[in-house]
Amino acid sequence: MPSSSITALERHRAHDAVASLDPADLGQAVDLAEVLDGLPDPRRSQGRRYRLGPMLALCTLAVLAGARTLAAIARHAAELPPHLHERLGLRAAPRAGTLGRLLARLDGDTLDTAVGPWLAHLADPGEAVALDGKALRGSRTAEQRAIHLVSVITHNGRLTLNQRQVADKSGEITTFKPLLADLDLAGRTVTFDALHSQHEHARYLVETKNAHYVALIKDNHPKLAAFLRELRWADIPLGYRTRPRARTR
């Protein structure tokens, strides 16, 4: 497909997204702008024309509408109706260069720390969450390895409640407690893959966070895996324990 057609489709998609923005979505965009306005601003105060929060909220709306480049984000922001700019506290839409300089200086972990609690308020309080790590698609270049992120995501709403960048998959284990520390997990179920199936993690969830968990056991725990394979699962009542704090079905 030629680039001119891609551009036309991106513009059309962005226009549709703006047209379908209802008052509730607009209110959430304004709330998000206020949350993001509390972040440390990496820009110099001299010559600063736009508030930090509204600029980042505009970027969020643009990406959700399908924008994948700085030019597309700036174009989407320029096409938003004037009343939205007014609600966000902007007199005009920032240009692509302005957005690019801001995003290049912004600390990703600080942004995640601010957005996570705001998203948590939108999630169902009893919804199960999953902790998992993934390589960020399209982040690998000739000079650097793919960016690896570890995230806490709700099962049904698919809201990212917290997220951190790690060097590689082996670095995921140390992020388990920090990622969950500020989340209210009482009564919730936390799921994770075999890498995080650690005794210390299970104790932390049950004793500190008052949460439940579903652990995936593979051959990285050979004795436990062999023990589980030999159990007669159909004959074991729900809640059975072989010892007080582990191996619970």
Side-chain angles (χ1 to χ4, degrees):
M1 181 179 293
S3 58
S4 58
S5 300
I6 294 176
T7 302
L9 288 173
E10 287 179 345
R11 290 172 64 89
H12 182 69
R13 181 177 180 183
H15 176 74
D16 287 346
V18 173
S20 62
L21 196 65
D22 62 32
D25 293 332
L26 177 57
Q28 289 184 356
V30 174
D31 290 343
L32 178 60
E34 293 179 357
V35 170
L36 296 176
D37 226 12
L39 291 174
D41 198 324
R43 302 170 297 170
R44 294 183 302 174
S45 58
Q46 183 179 4
R48 191 185 299 172
R49 296 183 56 194
Y50 306 98
R51 285 170 46 206
L52 177 65
M55 288 180 67
L56 295 177
L58 283 180
C59 292
T60 303
L61 290 174
V63 171
L64 291 175
R68 293 295 180 266
T69 65
L70 287 172
I73 292 174
R75 184 168 56 247
H76 180 273
E79 292 177 348
L80 290 174
H83 75 272
L84 181 59
H85 288 161
E86 183 178 349
R87 286 287 303 275
L88 289 174
L90 294 172
R91 290 178 294 179
R95 296 183 178 181
T98 302
L99 293 172
R101 288 190 294 272
L102 170 62
L103 295 176
R105 297 173 185 171
L106 199 65
D107 181 74
D109 287 342
T110 302
L111 179 63
D112 286 328
T113 300
V115 174
W118 180 76
L119 288 173
H121 286 296
L122 303 178
D124 183 345
E127 188 175 354
V129 300
L131 188 146
D132 194 18
K134 297 292 182 184
L136 187 61
R137 183 177 180 180
S139 62
R140 182 182 290 107
T141 66
E143 292 80 22
Q144 69 176 19
R145 303 168 63 179
I147 295 174
H148 199 84
L149 299 175
V150 186
S151 307
V152 181
I153 305 171
T154 59
H155 274 239
N156 297 328
R158 297 181 181 178
L159 297 174
T160 301
L161 306 184
N162 207 348
Q163 185 172 258
R164 285 293 182 275
Q165 180 177 338
V166 296
D168 50 37
K169 191 171 182 64
S170 63
E172 287 187 29
I173 295 178
T174 59
T175 66
F176 189 91
K177 291 182 181 180
L179 279 172
L180 300 174
D182 295 331
L183 299 179
D184 182 8
L185 300 175
R188 289 194 181 193
T189 298
V190 182
T191 65
F192 40 86
D193 61 20
L195 180 68
H196 294 286
S197 295
Q198 310 283 336
H199 293 298
E200 184 62 28
H201 291 174
R203 282 193 291 268
Y204 173 73
L205 289 173
V206 174
E207 298 175 2
T208 303
K209 304 300 289 183
N210 194 26
H212 310 286
Y213 65 89
V214 177
L216 181 63
I217 304 300
K218 291 185 176 180
D219 289 335
N220 58 330
H221 295 286
K223 292 184 179 180
L224 180 57
F227 170 81
L228 294 174
R229 279 194 291 266
E230 294 172 0
L231 287 178
R232 299 177 60 182
W233 290 99
D235 299 332
I236 300 176
L238 187 65
Y240 171 78
R241 295 171 182 265
T242 59
R243 65 186 192 188
R245 292 182 295 184
R247 296 179 183 173
T248 302
R249 189 190 181 211

